[in-house]
Amino acid sequence: MIRLFNSLTQQKEPFAPRDPGKAGIYACGPTVYNLVHIGNARPYVVFAVLRSWLRRRGLDVTLVTNITDVDDKIITKANAEGRPASAVAEEFTAAYVADTDRLGIARPDVEPLATETIPEIIDLVCQLVSSGHAYPAHGSVYFRVRSFDEYGKLSKQRIDQLEEGVRVDAEPGKADPLDFAVWKAAKPGEPAWDSPWGMGRPGWHIECSAMGLRYLGAGFDVHGGGRDLIFPHHENEIAQSEAAGLPFAKVWMHNGMIRSDGEKMAKSVGNIFLLREVLDRYEPAVVLMYFLTTHYRSPLEFSTEKLDEARAAYGRLADALAELEFRIANAARAATQGEWPDLSLRAETARMAFAEQMDDDLNTAAAIGELFALVGEAHRYLAEVDRGAAPLDSGALEAVREVLLDSLDALLVPAPGADGLVTSVGSVAGAAGDVCVTGDVAMMPAVRMAEDGRWDDVSLVYADRLECGDASYACVLRDHYRETRDWTSADRLRDEIQAAGFDVRDTPQGTQVMRKS
RNA sequence: GGCGGCGUAGCCAAGUGGUAAGGCAGAGGUCUGCAAAAUCUCCAUCGGCGGUUCGACUCCGCCCGCCGCCUCCA
């Protein structure tokens, strides 16, 4: 059973989709007036993972993420730069798509533009006006906050208290300072659309209501976004939708803020790190691990140390996967082979534990912990095998690998190898033959040469091949040196292989290489 | 001031009414031609003070510290 923490009720609730077998998620997207920073990327990742997990659980999921391409900030920027607002919006929409694409996770299913939702927005405003929840003034239309009894139910605010803290608002037509614009009269030069109240544009908040209702329908399942949007943005979305007689989202999910130097990362604070800057230095897999090793509701500190830790953690997973790959491929040469049910069983319990954690309010941090626990088990088992205390059960190893790979897939974290982290793993036993290769078939020629004892030929080509990223000849040669106890040559060759960008490990099965991460 | 949240080892981070996952770092051991990797052992009583309970880190109250929102903000 999937349970999600609902900000509305402030507790975890069993997830009960409106339409059995389906799930509709609306996650607030960017206002395109600037480049996305790492804080903006968190919800993008979180809700993509939520979608992924719900799909795993057999639901037909639709994830909608808006792009707000008409807004005060866009207009302000456009005016400052002396170009049309649409030019600013287009530039940063493209940048947003390009930057988030680099994460390598699938895009939302629907990415509507506010400017393509104007008719729906006007309809909604009309309904609010005709039902008395909103009133026109000076070409704008304001939502009458006090007309909606449940105002404040999400942010747990009471209207009276909000009233006390409210700041002086210069807008003349407002009946109450708390009221907010659902439609704004256009000033000269601003983007504007015709409406019953004259030329104007949507207020902030209203586009999300209109888009959510348009693509997911009333009473849709999940609405998500950053914690900082709870008030007023989400509160107002609820008010203007439900006052119009349209039940809004059933479950509200809010991700914690990313902090930098203990403070929320925000453009206004100036402590932002752009997503593209981070991706220039860290692989997508590492950035995703960084996000997912902390629960989505917790605040997350941004620092290169944390990113480096995420890289180390991912490296441990990558190493384990490479090791499994290597052992499975070399199974035929194990001293003894046989069943080892303990490990197969452990793989299965890990799979279930992972799923339970994911079901429990998308606890990716704990779920990843289960993966590491499994990795530890596998390594311990392999040590037993090397000590001759257990037979090699390649089926069990495959089961472990499968769980690891499948879990990473659920988390949208690319498996090592998929992004070039591990390109080839191989080994050659000794001059006598008894050869095993994994990964790259390009290794085969090297292996054949080795089998034939053509060491001169291998020596001739290994350096060039190494330069091209094929370490197979060097591996074969190094095994030969080790076989003949020529440690000087073996060590020198290891240095060369490492210099070519590989990690080198000596194993009972031979030299093992992995492309350095 | 109002509302919400957080405070777990050197750092990061899960978690539970019955004596604390996992990652990083550190110390020592094993393995290894050397190395790397791995593995083993060690390293917290859960901000503070009370209360409820057979028993709390987990529930309640108060206090301290930090953060978010109340204005644009993922």
Side-chain angles (χ1 to χ4, degrees):
Chain A
M1 179 178 68
I2 297 167
R3 290 155 56 84
L4 298 174
F5 185 90
N6 188 352
S7 301
L8 219 39
T9 58
Q10 294 173 293
Q11 57 190 15
K12 290 180 193 170
E13 299 171 350
F15 181 59
R18 176 191 61 190
D19 305 321
K22 293 188 176 182
I25 305 170
Y26 184 94
C28 276
T31 296
V32 282
Y33 71 104
N34 236 327
L35 296 172
V36 300
H37 62 249
I38 198 80
N40 300 316
R42 172 126 94 149
Y44 187 85
V45 170
V46 166
F47 294 103
V49 172
L50 176 66
R51 170 178 64 178
S52 161
W53 186 248
L54 294 180
R55 282 188 179 152
R56 286 285 177 130
R57 287 315 207 182
L59 293 164
D60 178 10
V61 189
T62 303
L63 172 62
V64 179
T65 294
N66 62 290
I67 294 175
T68 297
D69 59 346
V70 54
D71 167 271
D72 289 354
K73 291 188 292 296
I74 296 171
I75 294 167
T76 303
K77 186 172 186 117
N79 287 158
E81 297 175 357
R83 54 177 176 157
S86 59
V88 172
E90 280 163 25
E91 177 189 339
F92 290 104
T93 297
Y96 160 72
V97 171
D99 289 353
T100 47
D101 267 348
R102 285 176 66 185
L103 286 166
I105 58 183
R107 301 214 63 80
D109 301 294
V110 187
E111 298 185 276
L113 299 176
T115 53
E116 290 174 349
T117 318
I118 301 295
E120 286 80 4
I121 291 171
I122 291 175
D123 279 354
L124 189 55
V125 176
C126 279
Q127 285 183 59
L128 290 170
V129 170
S130 60
S131 60
H133 289 287
Y135 53 93
H138 305 290
S140 293
V141 180
Y142 296 98
F143 183 86
R144 196 186 304 279
V145 165
R146 287 188 180 273
S147 75
F148 183 62
D149 289 342
E150 294 181 89
Y151 193 80
K153 69 176 176 180
L154 178 66
S155 58
K156 319 299 173 200
Q157 300 280 346
R158 288 207 305 275
I159 291 184
D160 294 336
Q161 271 157 355
L162 285 169
E163 205 81 70
E164 288 174 23
V166 83
R167 307 207 177 177
V168 185
D169 204 309
E171 290 176 77
K174 278 191 186 181
D176 184 311
L178 251 30
D179 291 350
F180 57 91
V182 288
W183 187 261
K184 293 188 174 189
K187 298 194 192 84
E190 290 184 354
W193 291 261
D194 197 17
S195 81
W197 316 282
M199 295 301 283
R201 57 192 169 88
W204 185 44
H205 318 303
I206 192 79
E207 81 281 10
C208 280
S209 291
M211 290 187 246
L213 294 167
R214 174 178 177 181
Y215 293 100
L216 298 171
F220 63 87
D221 300 301
V222 177
H223 189 128
R227 262 197 129 65
D228 54 352
L229 294 182
I230 292 176
F231 192 89
H233 186 56
H234 289 341
E235 192 70 60
N236 289 355
E237 281 186 53
I238 294 174
Q240 66 208 171
S241 303
E242 301 196 343
L246 301 163
F248 209 48
K250 293 197 294 189
V251 179
W252 286 82
M253 293 175 69
H254 295 283
N255 61 273
M257 297 294 98
I258 295 216
R259 301 197 279 218
S260 180
D261 297 321
E263 220 182 339
K264 173 181 153 186
M265 184 180 291
K267 290 156 191 160
S268 53
V269 182
N271 58 349
I272 62 168
F273 288 84
L274 299 177
L275 177 60
R276 57 172 61 172
E277 294 171 339
V278 175
L279 284 169
D280 283 342
R281 280 189 54 195
Y282 296 88
E283 310 88 281
V286 170
V287 176
L288 292 169
M289 284 291 283
Y290 161 72
F291 281 128
L292 299 175
T293 45
T294 297
H295 184 91
Y296 77 88
R297 278 191 285 122
S298 301
L300 210 201
E301 183 72 21
F302 176 84
S303 68
T304 52
E305 287 76 21
K306 293 220 64 174
L307 253 355
D308 289 340
E309 274 182 29
R311 174 176 281 163
Y314 185 68
R316 182 165 161 83
L317 238 28
D319 278 1
L321 248 3
E323 183 70 19
L324 286 168
E325 194 67 45
F326 182 76
R327 296 288 192 143
I328 290 165
N330 285 288
R333 287 169 41 240
T336 54
Q337 293 191 66
E339 300 274 301
W340 195 257
D342 282 6
L343 189 64
S344 316
L345 223 53
R346 190 60 189 72
E348 205 39 51
T349 58
R351 182 192 292 283
M352 290 191 293
F354 179 88
E356 273 174 36
Q357 298 294 176
M358 292 296 280
D359 279 348
D360 182 15
D361 194 30
L362 208 66
N363 195 340
T364 53
I368 290 170
E370 300 290 351
L371 261 28
F372 282 111
L374 176 62
V375 164
E377 295 282 346
H379 280 312
R380 275 189 287 278
Y381 159 72
L382 254 11
E384 292 292 292
V385 172
D386 289 343
R387 277 185 27 225
L392 188 96
D393 183 345
S394 59
L397 293 180
E398 282 170 25
V400 171
R401 179 183 60 179
E402 183 57 28
V403 170
L404 258 22
L405 254 19
D406 196 45
S407 300
L408 286 176
D409 186 55
L411 293 169
L412 307 178
V413 176
D419 62 352
L421 208 57
V422 177
T423 53
S424 67
V425 178
S427 82
V428 179
D434 200 23
V435 166
C436 180
V437 182
T438 70
D440 200 343
V441 275
M443 295 186 73
M444 291 310 287
V447 170
R448 242 180 280 117
M449 280 189 201
E451 283 177 320
D452 298 341
R454 293 158 55 200
W455 301 116
D456 289 344
D457 294 345
V458 175
S459 301
L460 193 65
V461 299
Y462 86 89
D464 282 341
R465 301 299 160 90
L466 200 50
E467 219 168 292
C468 302
D470 175 6
S472 61
Y473 293 86
C475 277
V476 160
L477 187 58
R478 181 151 191 281
D479 281 342
H480 176 60
Y481 289 144
R482 295 186 64 224
E483 188 76 13
T484 55
R485 309 186 72 78
D486 180 357
W487 307 125
T488 312
S489 301
D491 288 349
R492 193 204 64 231
L493 190 47
R494 175 168 55 204
D495 290 343
E496 289 179 37
I497 299 173
Q498 284 174 337
F502 294 92
D503 282 324
V504 178
R505 273 181 218 168
D506 295 337
T507 76
Q509 290 78 31
T511 298
Q512 187 181 10
V513 299
M514 263 182 294
R515 188 166 288 290
K516 281 181 187 164
S517 53

